[in-house]
Amino acid sequence: MAFTGQRGLRRFAAIPAVASLVLAAACSSGEPTAGPGVTSTPCPGSANSDRGCIYLGVLSDLENGPFTPLGASMNDGQAAFWKQVNAAGGIGGYDIDISTYTRNTSYDPRTHRSRYQEIEPHVLALSMSFGTAQTVAMLNQMDVDDMVSTAATQWSGWNYRSADRNLVLSAGYSYCTEAVTGLDWFAETHYAPRNIAVVAYRGNYGGDYASGALKWAVANDATIADRIDTGPNAEVGSQDGPVAEILAAAPDLVMLATGPAETAEIVGKLVKSGFTGRFLGSLPTWNAALLQSAAAPALTALYNYTTPVDSWAGDSVGAKHARDAITGEPANFGYSLGWAITYPLKALLTTAAANGELTRAGLRRSIGAMKPDGEGMVVIHPAGAAGPDLETEWSAVFEPDKAAPMGARAVSVGYQGKTLGRLNLHEPCTRL
């Protein structure tokens, strides 16, 4: 048995003397050691009796939250990913289980914390921690616990070791660089925006995206006409305030870093009020269900969104593997995103297992040595590096299309603009 991290040391110190002697005897008997969440017993329901089990936790918006459709579909993508890993032989003599300790958080920070505390003693790492603010708020505790997690968000801090403490694995661009590259694509494809309004959730998600828009505007002689903070309708009631502010500012482009419901309301009400500009959104703004809303015609005509991942119908090796892993079409694009962000954790577990370090501290030590491969589906920045490799980043751009898989068609995959290389970014665009 192995105890890792400060919490582990505290627990060890609290064991009565007699129990400590028993524990010492067991550890000196030559039995293999493993961290929390690693057992010699097979995973529940596994047909592989010759393999042990690695338990990973999932904390996500799976029900009754503003991002439930995205969070649930991302979870489906991760479940399919690990099922394929298990079918191919598992990792280091173990299958991977993410279902036993999957918990719904409804995107609520308090629920996120309580669910973390509930599953923490039982898992080796987190396969998903959904929500930037939620994960940031847990970093101190994760640091104590040596708990590595996959980021289910694109906050720029996850790409800088000074911000994520070598605990959070990420893939793809940040919300900040998403806005920059998205604006480059927009200027090349539609028109050069001169007067931009940004509507964004309060916090790291919206703040990061808005920061990227501002950096692009400064570099390209454009103006941010208005920066409007908002929240999910469950918190703020409606988007009438942002709509009124945008109409008063009269921008030629509205950028969105909200949830799907807020996107539909803002776009629909603005177009109904006579707004004639276009809309550009971050990935979390879209869900195919919006094509059933009253805003569908306006969205189809005037809205694009960007993602860091090859499309469901893409030609990359990763996209093909993701398609082969399930029968039929997933609920939404979150499936592909959930699949893609899991590559770094697979690489980390593989490296740690090869080094005989399947403990939490062992995972943390192995981050700099792992070599993840996104199979062309997503860019993975150098693991454990001080910052991202911005030259490798690219975006995929989509437009709503009822005839396309999941209601959206890729109009550009692998797009790289010119502004990002001129910004000289050396730290997160927003701070904790």
Side-chain angles (χ1 to χ4, degrees):
M1 182 180 299
F3 291 84
T4 61
Q6 298 176 37
R7 173 176 287 192
L9 292 174
R10 289 200 300 270
R11 287 177 178 166
F12 188 88
I15 296 175
V18 173
S20 297
L21 290 173
V22 174
L23 178 65
C27 290
S28 63
S29 65
E31 296 180 3
T33 62
V38 182
T39 71
S40 58
T41 305
C43 295
S46 173
N48 303 311
S49 59
D50 59 333
R51 298 183 203 164
C53 189
I54 294 175
Y55 291 94
L56 304 176
V58 171
L59 300 171
S60 186
D61 182 358
L62 302 174
E63 187 177 0
N64 298 323
F67 296 110
T68 293
L70 177 64
S73 193
M74 288 178 68
N75 191 53
D76 290 343
Q78 287 207 321
F81 184 99
W82 291 119
K83 182 178 180 180
Q84 193 172 85
V85 168
N86 292 341
I91 294 177
Y94 297 89
D95 282 336
I96 310 299
D97 176 293
I98 70 166
S99 61
T100 301
Y101 297 105
T102 289
R103 298 293 184 269
N104 174 47
T105 67
S106 298
Y107 201 65
D108 177 72
R110 291 184 180 179
T111 304
H112 194 101
R113 177 176 290 276
S114 66
R115 297 294 181 266
Y116 174 87
Q117 293 169 341
E118 177 184 321
I119 69 173
E120 178 273 322
H122 310 292
V123 299
L124 177 63
L126 299 180
S127 189
M128 186 186 306
S129 179
F130 192 102
T132 303
Q134 290 82 344
T135 307
V136 168
M138 293 304 302
L139 276 180
N140 284 341
Q141 190 60 56
M142 290 168 63
D143 196 8
V144 170
D145 298 334
D146 281 328
M147 184 70 76
V148 172
S149 175
T150 294
T153 73
Q154 306 299 129
W155 174 52
S156 59
W158 304 142
N159 290 333
Y160 294 87
R161 297 292 77 94
S162 61
D164 79 349
R165 311 184 198 184
N166 236 24
L167 285 168
V168 183
L169 307 175
S170 62
Y173 54 50
S174 69
Y175 296 126
C176 178
T177 56
E178 175 185 33
V180 174
T181 305
L183 279 164
D184 275 347
W185 173 86
F186 186 92
E188 288 183 18
T189 306
H190 292 295
Y191 51 84
R194 301 265 60 91
N195 204 27
I196 304 168
V198 183
V199 185
Y201 276 179
R202 302 176 188 90
N204 299 99
Y205 161 40
D208 222 43
Y209 193 76
S211 177
L214 176 59
K215 292 177 187 300
W216 186 92
V218 170
N220 290 279
D221 298 321
T223 299
I224 299 296
D226 205 353
R227 157 72 192 278
I228 304 165
D229 288 333
T230 189
N233 282 340
E235 297 177 11
V236 302
S238 76
Q239 301 301 312
D240 288 343
V243 168
E245 285 193 49
I246 293 168
L247 290 172
D252 54 11
L253 171 65
V254 175
M255 300 185 70
L256 299 163
T258 62
E262 295 74 34
T263 293
E265 181 181 350
I266 291 167
V267 172
K269 287 181 175 178
L270 281 173
V271 173
K272 188 176 181 179
S273 298
F275 178 74
T276 58
R278 292 190 64 91
F279 303 87
L280 180 65
S282 178
L283 169 61
T285 62
W286 173 250
N287 185 278
L290 298 189
L291 289 175
Q292 309 305 317
S293 72
L299 288 163
T300 301
L302 298 171
Y303 161 85
N304 294 101
Y305 70 93
T306 49
T307 83
V309 175
D310 192 11
S311 69
W312 166 254
D315 295 327
S316 67
V317 172
K320 292 176 182 177
H321 285 166
R323 287 196 299 271
D324 291 343
I326 59 173
T327 301
E329 188 177 297
N332 62 58
F333 190 78
Y335 172 87
S336 296
L337 183 61
W339 180 285
I341 66 172
T342 314
Y343 285 112
L345 185 53
K346 176 193 174 187
L348 181 59
L349 292 174
T350 301
T351 300
N355 294 336
E357 289 206 294
L358 280 176
T359 65
R360 292 181 187 166
L363 291 188
R364 204 169 180 182
R365 284 191 296 269
S366 299
I367 284 178
M370 71 178 190
K371 293 179 171 55
D373 177 8
E375 296 188 312
M377 189 179 187
V378 66
V379 171
I380 301 176
H381 295 286
D389 182 0
L390 298 178
E391 292 184 359
T392 65
E393 287 193 4
W394 52 261
S395 293
V397 186
F398 289 79
E399 64 181 17
D401 183 347
K402 286 186 178 181
M406 292 166 284
R409 181 174 64 88
V411 295
S412 179
V413 176
Y415 175 81
Q416 292 181 301
K418 298 178 180 178
T419 301
L420 194 56
R422 298 192 280 124
L423 295 184
N424 200 27
L425 300 177
H426 295 296
E427 61 183 4
C429 294
T430 54
R431 281 293 181 178
L432 305 184

